[in-house]
Amino acid sequence: GAVVSQHPSWVICKSGTSVKIECRSLDFQATTMFWYRQFPKQSLMLMATSNEGSKATYEQGVEKDKFLINHASLTLSTLTVTSAHPEDSSFYICSAHRLTGDNYEQYFGPGTRLTVT
Amino acid sequence: GIQVEQSPPDLILQEGANSTLRCNFSDSVNNLQWFHQNPWGQLINLFYIPSGTKQNGRLSATTVATERYSLLYISSSQTTDSGVYFCAVSSISNFGNEKLTFGTGTRLTIIP
């Protein structure tokens, strides 16, 4: 149990275009999902928290108009990188909160590698 | 915000060796998780361990919350253990959400 999928697993796009990444919890419902960004050989940095049915909350320094997040159902959150530029190239990872026993644990998707040319 | 430091940053071991990875954090936390990121980028949950000791096969973890550190032990290393190990601590964000802050990671390479 606790499987999270992401689509696509990799994408190459031209500068100025927009890219949508989907994150799905396959076997559980997730009222809260998270989006992270990871640069090569670095740690994961939280970008935003996605709450089902309400607006996402963004971490300091993350442009909400550039990284649009929608959490329309209990199993799906999407991240749209608008007007992508080469500096947006990165590994984007989502996770979903799941109640396991008495605790909330995060389960991670396989990631999406974005390359902007 | 909370700081999470891991040591060592890199570790190269022969297959069959044992290792200890350390995670230090700067403030009280609600919980702590250990993850293994495989070479393809997938993060795999290893332990949810806000305090105490847990074991799962060749892996075990201990968190001493009062002293703000956690240790991950890997015994009889195998090449499939290679990858990056992250600890992540949970705290409440300014928005009232529980958020994970990831450590700096330890890159483990097991040589056959």
Side-chain angles (χ1 to χ4, degrees), chain A:
Chain A
V3 179
V4 178
S5 70
Q6 271 183 253
H7 178 80
S9 54
W10 60 269
V11 58
I12 302 172
C13 71
K14 289 185 182 296
S15 198
T17 61
S18 296
V19 174
K20 180 186 282 189
I21 302 169
E22 293 186 349
C23 177
R24 293 182 187 274
S25 56
L26 297 185
D27 53 358
F28 66 101
Q29 294 183 330
T31 55
T32 306
M33 291 184 172
F34 303 86
W35 287 95
Y36 295 84
R37 184 173 182 175
Q38 186 179 31
F39 290 108
K41 297 191 185 300
Q42 293 190 22
S43 188
L44 281 75
M45 298 296 294
L46 179 65
M47 298 175 66
T49 301
S50 170
N51 300 297
E52 188 267 337
S54 65
K55 289 184 179 181
T57 54
Y58 291 80
E59 294 300 299
Q60 193 171 8
V62 178
E63 299 176 58
K64 61 181 180 181
D65 294 330
K66 181 166 188 61
F67 298 100
L68 301 179
I69 291 172
N70 185 279
H71 193 157
S73 78
L74 288 172
T75 59
L76 173 64
S77 175
T78 59
L79 168 68
T80 301
V81 183
T82 62
S83 187
H85 288 105
E87 57 265 30
D88 298 325
S89 298
S90 187
F91 192 51
Y92 292 87
I93 309 173
C94 73
S95 71
H97 238 179
R98 185 191 186 208
L99 186 61
T100 305
D102 294 331
N103 307 300
Y104 276 100
E105 295 185 38
Q106 285 194 30
Y107 292 87
F108 286 79
T112 297
R113 197 163 301 280
L114 170 64
T115 302
V116 185
T117 61

Side-chain angles (χ1 to χ4, degrees), chain B residues 5-36:
Chain B
E5 295 286 335
Q6 290 183 242
S7 60
D10 292 279
L11 189 57
I12 302 173
L13 296 173
Q14 206 77 34
E15 197 169 24
N18 302 329
S19 59
T20 301
L21 282 56
R22 187 176 180 103
C23 171
N24 292 330
F25 42 98
S26 62
D27 206 345
S28 301
V29 297
N30 295 330
N31 73 60
L32 184 146
Q33 290 184 251
W34 281 97
F35 298 92
H36 174 214

Side-chain angles (χ1 to χ4, degrees), chain B residues 34-49:
Chain B
W34 281 97
F35 298 92
H36 174 214
Q37 187 171 38
N38 67 23
W40 296 272
Q42 173 75 62
L43 278 154
I44 299 161
N45 294 46
L46 297 178
F47 292 103
Y48 174 93
I49 186 163

Side-chain angles (χ1 to χ4, degrees), chain B residues 34-81:
Chain B
W34 281 97
F35 298 92
H36 174 214
Q37 187 171 38
N38 67 23
W40 296 272
Q42 173 75 62
L43 278 154
I44 299 161
N45 294 46
L46 297 178
F47 292 103
Y48 174 93
I49 186 163
S51 64
T53 297
K54 290 186 178 178
Q55 179 154 8
N56 185 1
R58 296 181 296 104
L59 273 60
S60 64
T62 295
T63 297
V64 184
T66 53
E67 296 186 25
R68 300 180 184 167
Y69 74 89
S70 183
L71 302 173
L72 178 69
Y73 306 96
I74 305 174
S75 63
S76 304
S77 301
Q78 300 175 359
T79 55
T80 51
D81 295 332

